[in-house]
């Protein structure tokens, strides 16, 4: 009887511990669930992964590199063409160059703009919290820059048509945040025969210390998810005073690597007010030429899930024209 009681007690104790360990700590829709035992469940499994290949719709060829990055080459370019280094979004926590949404967008961008492109990979939070993604972005940039002086290993980047004097950094959401922070670092680190001439920030993930009007326009749960995410992907930071997520607090915006910046805005994006203030700060204190492109009636990174819509095509046209000047 004693042993039976003892075993039952142990079972209840075990179940209690297991239940406690599997208790949900935080849930970020589309990104991840974090449990109190440290287990992370990623929520992007439904998004297909597409291998590098010849895209039948655009005719664009892609290939993967030793870095995990994906390269794209335009179909018919007989002269030197710009290089776009692209960083995907996903709350710093999901996504990859192989993601359907990202791969599809890069095919469209390369076909429309007639540019070479590299879609970068980086370590994801919360397993690899920031600054891991920033460090990986810097490593990608240095790796690419080696090819400008002929010392890099990748044959596609040794193509004489790749113009390293016309490099654009681009990204959406968290990827656009990475672009800004990489450009801040690159303003202090110069590479020979390698020139960043423009930044393309599509619906960048920036926050201010106090909620903006556009952020207050969404329900409290969505608002909390947006603002709380930063503390989980960058737990070692200074909260919303951290200039990596709140760049308008940075007194050194003038060191940004490029003089020309395109900021794409979406009217229904809760981040639009912070994004606009970022662009205005670059103009006023950073002495940068900032262009805004506003898509009315649409939300955050709408173009990734609705790539064939008229609004997505218009934004792609604007990105293309920005690189043709």
């Amino acid at each position: 009887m004693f042993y039976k009681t003892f075993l039952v007690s142990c079972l209840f104790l075990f179940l209690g511990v297991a239940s406690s360990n599997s208790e949900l700590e935080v849930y970020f829709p589309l990104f991840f669930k974090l449990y109190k035992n440290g287990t992370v469940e990623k929520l992007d499994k439904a998004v297909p992964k597409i291998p590098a290949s010849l895209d039948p719709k655009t005719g664009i060829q892609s290939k993967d590199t030793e870095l995990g990055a994906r390269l794209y080459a335009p179909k018919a370019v007989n002269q030197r063409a710009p290089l776009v280094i692209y960083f995907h979004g996903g709350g710093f926590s999901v996504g990859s160059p192989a993601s359907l949404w990202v791969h599809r967008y890069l095919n469209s961008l390369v076909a429309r703009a007639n540019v070479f492109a590299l879609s970068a990979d980086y370590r994801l939070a919360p397993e690899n919290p920031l600054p891991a993604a920033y460090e990986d972005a810097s490593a990608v940039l240095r790796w690419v820059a080696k090819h400008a002086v002929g010392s890099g290993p990748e044959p596609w980047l040794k193509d004489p048509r790749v113009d390293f004097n016309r490099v654009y950094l681009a990204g959406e959401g968290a990827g656009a945040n990475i672009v800004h922070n990489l450009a801040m670092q690159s303003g202090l680190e110069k590479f020979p025969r390698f020139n960043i001439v423009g930044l393309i920030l599509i619906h960048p993930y920036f926050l201010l210390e106090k909620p903006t009007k556009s952020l207050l326009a969404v329900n409290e749960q969505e608002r909390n998810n947006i603002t709380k995410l930063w503390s989980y992907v960058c737990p070692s930071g200074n909260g919303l005073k951290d200039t990596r997520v709140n760049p308008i607090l940075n007194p050194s915006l003038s060191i940004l690597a490029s003089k020309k910046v395109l900021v794409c805005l979406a009217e229904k994006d809760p981040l639009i007010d912070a994004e606009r203030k970022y662009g205005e700060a670059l103009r006023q204190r950073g002495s940068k030429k900032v262009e805004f492109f506003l898509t009315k009636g649409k939300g955050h990174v709408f173009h990734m899930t609705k790539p064939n819509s008229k609004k997505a095509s218009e934004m792609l046209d604007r990105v293309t024209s920005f690189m043709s000047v």
Side-chain angles (χ1 to χ4, degrees), residues 207-223:
L207 295 166
L208 305 182
E209 288 185 83
K210 295 182 179 179
T212 62
K213 184 178 179 180
S214 63
L215 196 54
L216 289 171
V218 300
N219 64 62
E220 184 177 4
Q221 182 178 359
E222 183 177 356
R223 183 166 64 250

Side-chain angles (χ1 to χ4, degrees), residues 34-324:
L34 176 64
Y35 295 88
K36 290 188 175 180
N37 66 356
T39 301
V40 177
E41 179 185 353
K42 292 300 175 73
L43 303 177
D44 65 336
K45 294 183 177 67
V47 181
K49 299 291 190 295
I50 309 298
S53 58
L54 177 64
D55 181 56
K57 182 177 180 180
T58 61
I60 298 301
Q61 180 70 53
S62 57
K63 67 169 288 191
D64 291 334
T65 72
E66 62 184 40
L67 281 184
R70 182 164 292 183
L71 284 167
Y72 297 80
K75 276 194 299 185
V77 174
N78 298 319
Q79 57 189 4
R80 303 192 80 195
L83 172 65
V84 177
I85 302 177
Y86 189 87
F87 296 89
H88 68 82
F92 302 99
S93 57
V94 296
S96 76
S99 165
L100 168 65
W101 298 346
V102 178
H103 180 67
R104 184 170 56 192
Y105 181 73
L106 266 294
N107 278 321
S108 299
L109 175 63
V110 170
R112 186 81 60 95
N114 275 322
V115 295
F116 291 89
L118 180 142
S119 180
D121 198 17
Y122 54 86
R123 286 170 291 169
L124 300 173
E127 303 95 321
N128 301 286
L130 295 172
Y134 298 142
E135 293 166 352
D136 291 349
S138 296
V140 167
L141 192 69
R142 288 192 295 270
W143 183 83
V144 173
K146 287 181 181 180
H147 296 80
V149 292
S151 62
E154 174 51 53
W156 279 28
L157 291 177
K158 293 179 179 179
D159 188 322
R161 296 174 301 166
V162 179
D163 190 350
F164 290 104
N165 281 312
R166 288 189 291 161
V167 176
Y168 290 85
L169 304 182
E172 102 278 349
N177 175 292
I178 291 172
V179 164
H180 164 78
N181 285 287
L182 180 59
M184 289 295 291
Q185 179 182 330
S186 300
L188 300 173
E189 185 178 4
K190 304 299 181 184
F191 303 101
R193 303 179 197 172
F194 185 89
N195 188 23
I196 299 171
V197 296
L199 309 181
I200 301 167
L201 286 77
I202 302 174
H203 313 157
Y205 179 76
F206 294 139
L207 295 166
L208 305 182
E209 288 185 83
K210 295 182 179 179
T212 62
K213 184 178 179 180
S214 63
L215 196 54
L216 289 171
V218 300
N219 64 62
E220 184 177 4
Q221 182 178 359
E222 183 177 356
R223 183 166 64 250
N224 287 340
N225 283 338
I226 292 170
T227 55
K228 191 191 296 184
L229 176 66
W230 178 252
S231 65
Y232 279 88
V233 299
C234 189
S236 63
N238 192 25
L240 298 186
K241 292 183 179 180
D242 193 321
T243 57
R244 293 171 295 183
V245 73
N246 189 354
I248 68 169
L249 296 180
N250 195 324
S252 305
L253 290 175
S254 60
I255 70 170
L256 196 77
S258 174
K259 294 184 181 298
K260 187 171 75 165
V261 182
L262 173 64
V263 182
C264 294
L265 309 172
E267 185 180 30
K268 293 185 177 180
D269 187 349
L271 302 175
I272 186 172
D273 290 345
E275 296 162 352
R276 198 186 296 276
K277 286 183 180 294
Y278 164 77
E280 291 168 352
L282 285 185
R283 278 179 179 168
Q284 297 165 9
R285 295 189 283 112
S287 301
K288 306 299 179 182
K289 180 182 178 183
V290 179
E291 302 175 27
F292 290 108
F293 179 77
L294 174 64
T295 301
K296 293 188 176 181
K298 295 297 181 181
H300 190 69
V301 298
F302 73 93
H303 63 295
M304 301 301 279
T305 54
K306 303 289 184 181
N308 298 320
S309 67
K310 181 181 178 181
K311 298 285 189 181
S313 183
E314 289 172 351
M315 188 170 72
L316 187 57
D317 282 340
R318 184 66 189 88
V319 170
T320 297
S321 66
F322 178 76
M323 292 189 287
S324 64

Side-chain angles (χ1 to χ4, degrees), residues 10-22:
C10 287
L11 178 61
F12 276 109
L13 178 62
F14 171 78
L15 290 175
V17 171
S19 175
S20 175
N21 284 342
S22 62

